[in-house]
Amino acid sequence: GHVYGYAVGLDMPRRDLQERAKEMRRPWDAAKAFDHSAPCSRIVPASRIGHPDRGSIWLDVNGKRTQSSDISTLIWNVPEIIAELSTLFELAPGDLIFTGTPAGVGPVQRGDTLHGGVEGVAELTVRVV
């Protein structure tokens, strides 16, 4: 069978490209899928941590908390997300599924340090270059 796991990832779109694509009524692919747009922590196997259904999710930018929520607030739980996506895509080992983002999204600049985590899963630190 497949091994499922959890990680902490940052979805970092380029808003400039996204806004331009919106204005031209074009797809947002280039804004969401550029090199280094989705840094991730190591994947922690579900066999080690189970399938968390609650736990704080947070992000600090330069030491200041900008996003804070709990994974219990997800609209769909992980099995529901996998089931729904399986109707649209063939999911395979190594695929990553990013869930929603807590309120508090904002711009980052070169030199900023981002540190985020999901309680009971992992933490991730990224420096914007």
Side-chain angles (χ1 to χ4, degrees):
H2 297 293
V3 175
Y4 297 101
Y6 295 87
V8 173
L10 299 176
D11 173 14
M12 301 183 65
R14 281 197 46 191
R15 296 284 185 213
D16 58 333
L17 296 179
Q18 188 175 13
E19 292 304 316
R20 195 171 322 138
K22 282 183 188 179
E23 289 170 9
M24 298 187 325
R25 300 176 54 93
R26 292 192 174 160
W28 303 356
D29 299 47
K32 297 288 265 179
F34 57 93
D35 291 344
H36 310 291
S37 64
C40 286
S41 70
R42 287 191 171 163
I43 296 173
V44 181
S47 61
R48 185 180 326 157
I49 63 169
H51 296 284
D53 58 2
R54 63 189 67 252
S56 63
I57 179 171
W58 50 272
L59 179 70
D60 295 343
V61 178
N62 299 323
K64 180 182 176 202
R65 183 71 33 109
T66 59
Q67 292 178 279
S68 181
S69 189
D70 193 282
I71 58 176
S72 65
T73 64
L74 287 169
I75 295 169
W76 294 308
N77 64 34
V78 172
E80 291 169 333
I81 293 168
I82 292 170
E84 178 64 23
L85 289 176
S86 294
T87 69
L88 301 169
F89 306 98
E90 179 182 351
L91 297 177
D95 286 346
L96 300 173
I97 299 170
F98 278 68
T99 59
T101 302
V105 171
V108 294
Q109 307 294 325
R110 283 191 170 114
D112 285 351
T113 299
L114 289 69
H115 181 75
V118 176
E119 180 183 1
V121 177
E123 294 186 15
L124 174 68
T125 300
V126 173
R127 186 159 191 275
V128 180
V129 294

